[in-house]
Amino acid sequence: MQILNTQPLNNADLEDLGLSWHTDVDSMPYVSDEIVEISEEEAQGFYNAANELYDMYAEAGQYVIDNDLFFELGIPFNLVEAIERSWEEEVHWHLYGRFDLAGGLDGNPIKLLEFNADTPTMVYESAIVQWALLKKNGFKESLQFNNLYEALGDNFKRMITLGEDISHFNEIYEGWKILFSSIAGSEEEERTVKLLEVIAKEAGFETNFCYAHEATLSETEGLSLEGVNYEFWFKLIPWESIAVDEPELAQLMTAMIANKNTIFLNPAYTLMFQSKRMLKILWDLFPNHPLLLETSYEPLNQKQVKKHAFGREGESVSILDAQGKILKSCSGEYDNYPEIYQAFATQNHHNGSLYQPNVFYAYEACALGFRKGGEILDNMSKFVAHKIR
């Protein structure tokens, strides 16, 4: 691996960019002063892999619905109708997601680890901070696989045009409005949602922001804020959390989808993609595919990673040997979800640290970034930018 040590973005730089969560609880910088240097061929490899993987997920999603495999994915029963309805109607457009991968550098094959399809983080870092780090160090901004900002803007327009061609957006747009919401109390989530609001506004939509609890949802009247109705609600709340923690809200949102008065972003069907148990479905449909790792609902006879259907920031993850002995683990609150076992994949490494590639997808693969940490990436991992040499 080629690692460039650069002049870092200091806290003032990051705050000027709107990124205030720049220091971790251990008082270390969250944004690394390193840049991973990659070749054009490696960048193209990440682009191609994410596009192919998304097509595979789409095929797997139809397979799950056709064969009623929601229970196998660990999906709460009270969201099945919402998933099926949002899948059937094209207007429920998937705005963006993020693939977590292994390999891709130094000739190592790219392997899918999981797909954060519903509420992926790192938008701010990938879309804004990477460019700023290149600029501060005198590199050309074009030397990145990174058009996330533009891709999101185009994909907002596709919610109306429903296809690749967005040139006629202004002709058919009729003043539809998007309400953006996050949970109160998380500055990172609020800033991320407000960045997406800016992008949507620049794309031509009428927008507004509120905390999730301030929005008014009605089965018959749809979504509103202070008497103004909105056709779209971007809610940075995981679907599985809504199902488990707020079942009445899940029922209400399902009714609103059925009554066709509100479109939720990301759509309910992204919960199928979000489930790590979908990795086993992919392996069944595409056995020994070069982008996939063997995955099973039962332990494997090899070094493996035990995960649960839903989980974030490395919580409730264990690395096991071929006999099932725990080699490393991270506790968490997701143990109640059903588990999967995925073949262990060697990560890109340099000087004792591992570098996980993350590729954003918004209609097509559109941005690369890296997270640096140990074998189980947790909330202390660092964001690392990249540069094409």
Side-chain angles (χ1 to χ4, degrees), residues 154-165:
D154 289 346
N155 222 19
F156 273 117
K157 293 180 180 180
R158 290 191 184 95
M159 298 191 312
I160 307 302
T161 64
L162 300 178
E164 182 175 2
D165 181 13

Side-chain angles (χ1 to χ4, degrees), residues 104-359:
L105 304 180
D106 299 332
N108 294 316
I110 295 172
K111 297 291 185 181
L112 171 67
L113 299 178
E114 55 194 59
F115 186 24
N116 298 277
D118 179 17
T119 54
T121 55
M122 290 172 45
V123 176
Y124 221 105
E125 300 90 308
S126 300
I128 305 295
V129 171
Q130 291 200 97
W131 292 118
L133 190 59
L134 283 192
K135 185 174 182 180
K136 183 158 187 175
N137 285 275
F139 297 120
K140 292 181 180 178
E141 294 182 3
S142 60
L143 295 177
Q144 271 189 358
F145 166 28
N146 185 8
N147 65 321
L148 177 56
Y149 196 102
E150 296 79 6
L152 285 167
D154 289 346
N155 222 19
F156 273 117
K157 293 180 180 180
R158 290 191 184 95
M159 298 191 312
I160 307 302
T161 64
L162 300 178
E164 182 175 2
D165 181 13
I166 58 173
S167 62
H168 58 299
F169 169 78
N170 291 330
E171 300 170 15
I172 61 176
Y173 173 69
E174 297 182 1
W176 291 289
K177 298 179 287 296
I178 310 174
L179 182 62
F180 288 82
S181 296
S182 67
I183 298 295
S186 172
E187 189 168 5
E188 177 182 356
E189 292 184 4
E190 181 177 338
R191 288 293 183 93
T192 298
V193 170
K194 287 183 175 179
L195 172 62
L196 291 167
E197 183 193 1
V198 168
I199 296 172
K201 187 174 294 185
E202 290 179 357
F205 285 87
E206 295 183 40
T207 69
N208 204 346
F209 172 87
C210 73
Y211 295 117
H213 69 274
E214 297 173 330
T216 299
L217 283 73
S218 166
E219 179 176 342
T220 55
E221 302 301 320
L223 171 72
S224 64
L225 176 68
E226 297 176 345
V228 178
N229 278 88
Y230 293 82
E231 289 77 16
F232 298 88
W233 192 30
F234 181 92
K235 45 91 200 141
L236 199 66
I237 312 169
W239 278 104
E240 74 271 15
S241 297
I242 293 173
V244 173
D245 300 333
E246 300 186 65
E248 292 182 357
L249 177 59
Q251 182 179 8
L252 175 57
M253 293 172 75
T254 298
M256 293 166 73
I257 293 172
N259 290 334
K260 300 183 179 182
N261 57 37
T262 308
I263 295 173
F264 300 102
L265 303 169
N266 276 309
Y269 66 74
T270 60
L271 187 56
M272 293 190 296
F273 298 170
Q274 184 79 27
S275 172
K276 296 175 179 60
R277 290 198 127 208
M278 185 66 106
L279 297 165
K280 192 265 186 183
I281 303 292
L282 290 171
W283 185 256
D284 289 345
L285 294 177
F286 308 98
N288 299 306
H289 190 284
L291 291 173
L292 300 179
L293 295 163
E294 181 179 358
T295 307
S296 174
Y297 296 156
E298 304 296 331
L300 303 170
N301 294 317
Q302 58 180 296
K303 189 176 181 180
Q304 60 203 290
V305 179
K306 178 184 176 183
K307 309 177 185 180
H308 294 266
F310 302 104
R312 286 167 174 78
E313 296 183 331
E315 290 192 25
S316 303
V317 172
S318 300
I319 300 174
L320 314 176
D321 67 12
Q323 289 72 45
K325 178 183 177 182
I326 295 177
L327 302 176
K328 187 171 293 186
S329 66
C330 185
S331 61
E333 58 183 38
Y334 302 101
D335 293 345
N336 289 333
Y337 289 111
E339 66 274 0
I340 63 152
Y341 298 84
Q342 183 183 51
F344 182 84
T346 301
Q347 275 288 3
N348 306 305
H349 58 88
H350 178 79
N351 286 348
S353 293
L354 304 182
Y355 295 76
Q356 182 189 93
N358 312 109
V359 178

Side-chain angles (χ1 to χ4, degrees), residues 84-98:
E84 291 178 328
R85 287 185 177 276
S86 64
W87 184 264
E88 291 167 1
E89 299 171 6
E90 191 178 17
V91 294
H92 299 278
W93 198 258
H94 189 186
L95 182 61
Y96 73 112
R98 192 194 78 223

